[in-house]
Amino acid sequence: FFQDNHPKAIQFTFDLFLPKTRSFEDYKQKFKNEFFHPSGIPYLIVQKAKEADAELIVGFDPFAMPDWLSLRQGDRRPALANESWWTIEQLSPPRDYQLWGEVVSSALSFLRNELGVKKLGFYVGHEPNSSWTGTEESLLRYYEAAARSAKKISSEIKVGGLGPWSVMAKKEGGTFERFTPAVKEIAKKEGRWENPKNDPLLKSLIEYASKNNVPLDFINWHCFTHNPNQFVADGETVSQWLKENHLD
């Protein structure tokens, strides 16, 4: 595959590794000795990416908060009606943003300094517009903590997000049809979660990054059923938001 396609970049997701850990120390040990064991596929992909001189962009999303990091520790009720395997615990914000940043730092430090990945990036978000069980502000703080932590490891590490299902997708509130009744009840107590200005999530990310001087090297989103003209239009929309916020 690598020889035939010469990929410039590869996005690599750590899947559901994080929720299977019991503590921060357990996570660090298993990340190095089990997830990236030299006999496993993740380790092989990293080596092939290095050989191909491809950029490796990694991340933990879709959201998978472990019980030791989740704001709603122990709440294993289904969060989404159509994907019952996701629990409220897993799709909640972190209870400690500094600790979440340390999780990111630990992963990137290992990849850069021990596995020797120099072309490295970190993405945050996988359709959080519809699956993040919290406010938009908490999601942007989640991004900020990861981005700042990545840059502390190396200014050369690229960071970005948030991967909504379209450029214009907005952060869904507590009445979103895919949320279970349990999630809707939590949202009702927490102010419903919608963006007060009804803005697209990516627009909010750009404004937040500009206002708070948060690192933002790339912006990603999903493009279902798009033709080439729509790709161009999406890019122009995002470019305009960047320009308006002096991030061009």
Side-chain angles (χ1 to χ4, degrees):
F1 172 83
F2 284 91
Q3 290 175 347
D4 291 345
N5 293 280
H6 306 288
K8 288 284 187 180
I10 302 159
Q11 180 168 304
F12 181 89
T13 300
F14 297 134
D15 197 33
L16 290 175
F17 163 75
L18 196 55
K20 298 175 183 177
T21 61
R22 299 186 300 272
S23 66
F24 183 45
E25 292 302 319
D26 184 49
Y27 148 77
K28 289 191 290 185
Q29 187 273 330
K30 289 183 176 177
F31 190 81
K32 177 179 179 179
N33 297 323
E34 295 184 20
F35 190 79
F36 276 106
H37 190 278
S39 65
I41 290 176
Y43 183 88
L44 176 63
I45 291 176
V46 168
Q47 300 309 314
K48 290 296 182 183
K50 287 165 57 181
E51 290 175 14
D53 197 32
E55 184 169 28
L56 187 69
I57 302 173
V58 298
F60 287 97
D61 297 316
F63 305 105
M65 283 289 157
D67 61 357
W68 52 270
L69 185 57
S70 176
L71 178 65
R72 304 188 183 98
Q73 183 180 32
D75 195 338
R76 296 183 173 87
R77 293 176 294 174
L80 303 176
N82 61 333
E83 296 178 335
S84 60
W85 54 88
W86 287 113
T87 67
I88 292 174
E89 177 183 79
Q90 292 175 332
L91 298 184
S92 292
R95 62 173 175 79
D96 184 333
Y97 287 89
Q98 181 177 340
L99 182 56
W100 158 241
E102 291 175 8
V103 167
V104 175
S105 294
S106 176
L108 295 176
S109 177
F110 174 74
L111 284 165
R112 182 175 176 84
N113 299 326
E114 296 195 42
L115 293 188
V117 181
K118 300 307 179 186
K119 289 189 174 181
L120 184 61
F122 190 83
Y123 79 89
V124 180
H126 178 89
E127 300 186 351
N129 56 290
S130 64
S131 58
W132 181 258
T133 60
T135 63
E136 183 180 82
E137 181 183 2
S138 70
L139 175 60
L140 297 177
R141 287 183 63 200
Y142 174 77
Y143 171 81
E144 179 180 6
R148 294 197 188 281
S149 296
K151 292 298 185 180
K152 286 181 181 178
I153 299 301
S154 173
S155 61
E156 295 179 352
I157 296 176
K158 294 180 180 179
V159 290
L162 281 164
W165 62 35
S166 73
V167 160
M168 302 303 294
K170 301 169 185 177
K171 172 67 179 75
E172 298 290 349
T175 59
F176 182 47
E177 60 184 7
R178 288 177 59 189
F179 285 147
T180 59
V183 171
K184 292 179 180 179
E185 186 61 29
I186 293 172
K188 186 177 180 181
K189 295 176 181 178
E190 295 181 358
R192 301 175 61 86
W193 300 341
E194 291 99 337
N195 177 293
K197 297 187 293 184
N198 202 32
D199 281 342
L201 180 57
L202 292 182
K203 186 173 186 287
S204 296
L205 171 66
I206 291 168
E207 291 175 352
Y208 186 88
S210 176
K211 180 180 178 181
N212 298 285
N213 196 28
V214 177
L216 181 61
D217 298 311
F218 63 87
I219 299 168
N220 59 355
W221 62 90
H222 294 168
C223 301
F224 299 107
T225 71
H226 268 28
N227 63 40
N229 289 331
Q230 289 170 301
F231 287 133
V232 173
D234 281 358
E236 290 174 344
T237 296
V238 173
S239 294
Q240 182 60 35
W241 292 338
L242 289 166
K243 185 176 181 180
E244 290 169 359
N245 287 277
H246 310 291
L247 293 177
D248 53 322

